[in-house]
Every structure is written in C-alpha cells, then in structure tokens.
Amino acid sequence: MRVQNTMNLNKDQAQHIASVLAEALPYIQRFAGKTIVVKYGGNAMTEDDLMASFARDIVLMKLVGMNPVVVHGGGPQIGDLLKRVGKESEFIQGMRVTDTETMDIVEMVLGGLVNKEIVNLIHQHGGNSVGLTGKDGNMIMAKKLKVTKQTPGMDVPEIIDIGHVGEVERINTGVIDMLIKGDFIPVIAPVGVDAEGNSYNINADLVAGKVAEALQAEKLMLLTNTPGLLNKQGELLTGLNAKMVDELIADGTIYGGMLPKIQCALDAVQGGVKAVHIVDGRVSHAVMLEVFTDEGVGTLITAR
C-alpha cells in the first residue's frame, strides 16, 4: 500500500523549483572547471544566517565542478581583540596602523581565529577546505606600503610610517594549485611576507584581486555591505567596463571608500580576470545568486 506524503509540493512550487534548476544548468556547464575567487567579509562574515548561506554556496560551487578560492578579511574581529587587550585601534587614510604588537594580534585573528572558523563552517556544510595565510609556501610575497601625505605649503609629500601594512609584490600559486587539484577549497588570510621574513597586514580586497589575476580566474567576487555600485540617484549600476568606470570616477559618482574596491576590480579585469562582481553580502545566498542566475545581486565589471 502506498502512503501519501503530506509534504508533497504543489504544482506551482514544483514549477518554481524546476525553473530555478533549469536556469542554473547553463551556468554550471559554463563554469565547470573554472576558478572563482571570492573575497569574504562584511555582514556576511558576522551574521550567523549569512555565514551559513555563504558556506553552503561555496560547497555547492565545488560540488558542481567549479573551483572556489576564498580570501577573507577580519577587521572588526581584529579591532575587538585589540580592545580586549587594552590597545587602541588607529587608522590613517583608512588603514590600520600596525606596529609589531598589533601585527602579532592580526596574525592571531586572521590566520587563526577567523581562518579556522571559515574552514570549520565549510566542513560543517559538507565541503573540504584548507586554511592558509600568505606565509604558507611564500604564497603572498609583500613589501611595506608607503603612505604619503601632501598638505599646502609642503614642497615634498610627508612619508607616514603605518608599520606592518603591506602591498602585494607577487602571488606564488603553487600551494593553491596543489589544493585545487586535491579537490580542496583554499581559504586564504591576507597576511603577506617579505624576503626577510617580515609579516604584513594587507587589504583583503587587494589580495583577492591579485590572487584572481595570478590564477587567471574566470570571476572575482567582492562581498560588500552595499547593494553594489550606485549612481548619484542611488540606482544600481551594472554591466560596466573599464572606460565607463573611469568616467564614473571622473564625475565623482565613485568616491571615498568605494574607490579602492573599484580600483581592485579594474586591476583584476585588466590583468586577465574575465569579470568582477561587487556583490551585496547582506543578501542570503548572494554568491549563489550571482553565479547561478541571470539577475545576480550586484555590479558586474568587465574589461570591455
């Protein structure tokens, strides 16, 4: 005797699920075997439901044949631990002043606490991941970031020392390639190292962009706490190319904190990455929506 399942889908629900799966199929076929670098940060990294949806998205990408690589930030977590140990956070031009003691805490938080939390989250949702910092295999070779300040009346700019804050010199992809070939998901903390063994705290967007360039990734996705790039009327802009972005910078549409993220996107597409997506990480399953659907939830930037 057949027992009727009271949880059966009705016709409309079934049609909706079928249409969603049908829409995803061409994207799965198109991106199978391709590398997609995802910069993980903001609300998506601190709210439990968004953290779970992010992990599920990354695991799903891997299961259908894509090669996700995660680069994460951790600014709020660093600030919290500094406060707990009685050390004030100081910022110059939006960058955290990082003396030797602060750098130790940065490495503890990024390479330890945050990195392993993400790895564990991916494992909980059925994926296999390995956590790294840029010091592993000399993956992120860095140099000290030079910060200057020009004020009226100064003949030459003032050089400001903000400590162990770095920029990327090069990315060695050997460890990442090995993990991808071994069917693991790399999870990378943005800590670099120079030839003398000095550690550097590096902006996670910048690291994600350089990793995407080095891997010649199909996509770079930058999760943010905004809907994407907005025009002066507050409307979402998408389908942009490098020339259009330059015009938006020139007319003042892109300014302030969005400028470094946009510059990272431009550098990536000009360095060979096929497309950059600036994605609203406050939307549940934002990564999945951007990869598997026609609409997406952010701004798309391409070279041409």
Side-chain angles (χ1 to χ4, degrees), residues 7-304:
M7 297 301 290
N8 281 348
L9 297 171
N10 64 40
K11 184 177 178 181
D12 289 342
Q13 290 173 321
Q15 288 285 359
H16 175 67
I17 292 172
S19 67
V20 169
L21 292 173
E23 184 178 336
L25 178 59
Y27 294 99
I28 294 172
Q29 293 170 323
R30 178 180 171 187
F31 299 129
K34 300 296 177 65
T35 298
I36 298 177
V37 177
V38 183
K39 185 267 177 171
Y40 180 44
N43 284 62
M45 199 172 174
T46 57
E47 298 182 14
D48 289 345
D49 59 335
L50 294 177
M51 291 168 65
S53 74
F54 171 81
R56 292 179 69 183
D57 292 357
I58 295 296
V59 171
L60 177 61
M61 289 168 66
K62 190 67 174 177
L63 287 174
V64 298
M66 303 176 196
N67 295 318
V69 176
V70 178
V71 178
H72 65 83
Q77 294 90 334
I78 293 169
D80 287 346
L81 186 53
L82 285 171
K83 189 174 182 180
R84 280 163 53 190
V85 300
K87 193 171 179 64
E88 289 293 324
S89 293
E90 181 185 355
F91 292 88
I92 292 177
Q93 297 182 17
M95 292 170 286
R96 187 187 302 277
V97 176
T98 308
D99 60 17
T100 300
E101 183 182 18
T102 301
M103 189 65 224
D104 289 343
I105 290 173
V106 166
E107 289 203 68
M108 287 169 54
V109 173
L110 293 181
L113 179 66
V114 174
N115 189 270
K116 301 317 171 190
E117 183 179 70
I118 299 167
V119 167
N120 187 45
L121 197 62
I122 291 172
H123 289 171
Q124 286 175 2
H125 289 85
N128 289 315
S129 62
V130 174
L132 308 158
T133 76
K135 298 173 80 170
D136 292 301
N138 281 339
M139 179 173 45
I140 304 173
M141 297 304 298
K143 63 181 179 181
K144 186 180 178 72
L145 179 66
K146 292 183 179 179
V147 178
T148 60
K149 180 181 178 182
Q150 181 78 54
T151 56
M154 293 176 60
D155 293 330
V156 294
E158 176 188 0
I159 297 174
I160 304 171
D161 186 358
I162 57 173
H164 292 262
V165 177
E167 58 183 325
V168 176
E169 275 202 310
R170 71 177 185 277
I171 302 290
N172 297 321
T173 63
V175 174
I176 305 173
D177 291 334
M178 180 182 68
L179 291 173
I180 290 173
K181 288 174 183 174
D183 215 25
F184 290 96
I185 300 166
V187 177
I188 302 169
V191 174
V193 64
D194 67 15
E196 286 74 45
N198 300 304
S199 300
Y200 293 96
N201 181 17
I202 309 176
N203 177 275
D205 288 334
L206 177 62
V207 170
K210 294 303 182 185
V211 167
E213 283 184 52
L215 295 173
Q216 289 294 281
E218 186 74 15
K219 289 178 180 287
L220 166 63
M221 302 177 66
L222 303 173
L223 270 62
T224 70
N225 284 344
T226 67
L229 182 57
L230 306 178
N231 65 17
K232 291 180 179 178
Q233 290 72 45
E235 299 163 331
L236 181 67
L237 296 170
T238 191
L240 304 176
N241 58 35
K243 182 174 182 294
M244 295 162 71
V245 170
D246 286 339
E247 291 170 354
L248 291 168
I249 293 172
D251 72 11
T253 300
I254 302 173
Y255 66 95
M258 186 58 79
L259 272 171
K261 200 173 293 289
I262 292 296
Q263 190 58 57
C264 164
L266 285 178
D267 290 346
V269 295
Q270 289 166 351
V273 178
K274 299 286 195 309
V276 178
H277 303 257
I278 298 175
V279 180
D280 192 345
R282 301 167 302 176
V283 176
S284 184
H285 293 293
V287 173
M288 186 189 301
L289 290 168
E290 198 62 53
V291 174
F292 293 106
T293 70
D294 295 333
E295 290 81 12
V297 287
T299 297
L300 168 67
I301 299 172
T302 57
R304 290 193 289 257

